Amino acid sequence: MSQDLLYYRHMITDEKILIDLGNQFKNAREIARLKQSEVANAAGINANYYAQIERGEVNTSFDKVYRIAKALNIKTIEIN
């Protein structure tokens, strides 16, 4: 397999992980009946940045993932 194809496959996998993570956060937030801004405030991050995380548009730090999960009372996150 060429390097370009390997890189492309890696990008697709990373993108899928970000989208899956964002969906998990969104589902937990909706179940908790919270607004994005409420979760962002509880996690100590900007509300617009949190919205980008939910949409899978940014690759955020583990620290922010942890703070969001804590704000949403998520005990485990499944990565497919």
Side-chain angles (χ1 to χ4, degrees):
M1 216 180 274
S2 75
Q3 285 292 81
D4 290 339
L5 187 54
L6 286 173
Y7 178 73
Y8 182 70
R9 287 184 65 193
H10 179 71
M11 284 176 45
I12 291 172
T13 302
D14 288 350
E15 188 175 299
K16 182 185 178 313
I17 290 169
L18 296 177
I19 291 169
D20 287 347
L21 179 63
N23 286 335
Q24 288 183 57
F25 285 156
K26 182 178 181 179
N27 290 337
R29 178 180 59 78
E30 289 176 343
I31 288 168
R33 297 179 187 258
L34 296 171
K35 296 177 184 176
Q36 288 180 334
S37 60
E38 293 171 318
V39 175
N41 286 337
I45 61 175
N46 178 282
N48 289 329
Y49 187 70
Y50 174 73
Q52 290 177 313
I53 293 169
E54 268 196 11
R55 293 190 301 267
E57 295 175 352
V58 293
N59 188 355
T60 193
S61 67
F62 178 79
D63 176 63
K64 286 183 181 70
V65 169
Y66 174 79
R67 291 187 298 176
I68 293 166
K70 191 172 177 183
L72 290 168
N73 200 28
I74 295 174
K75 302 293 185 216
T76 59
I77 295 174
E78 184 176 323
I79 299 173
N80 296 321

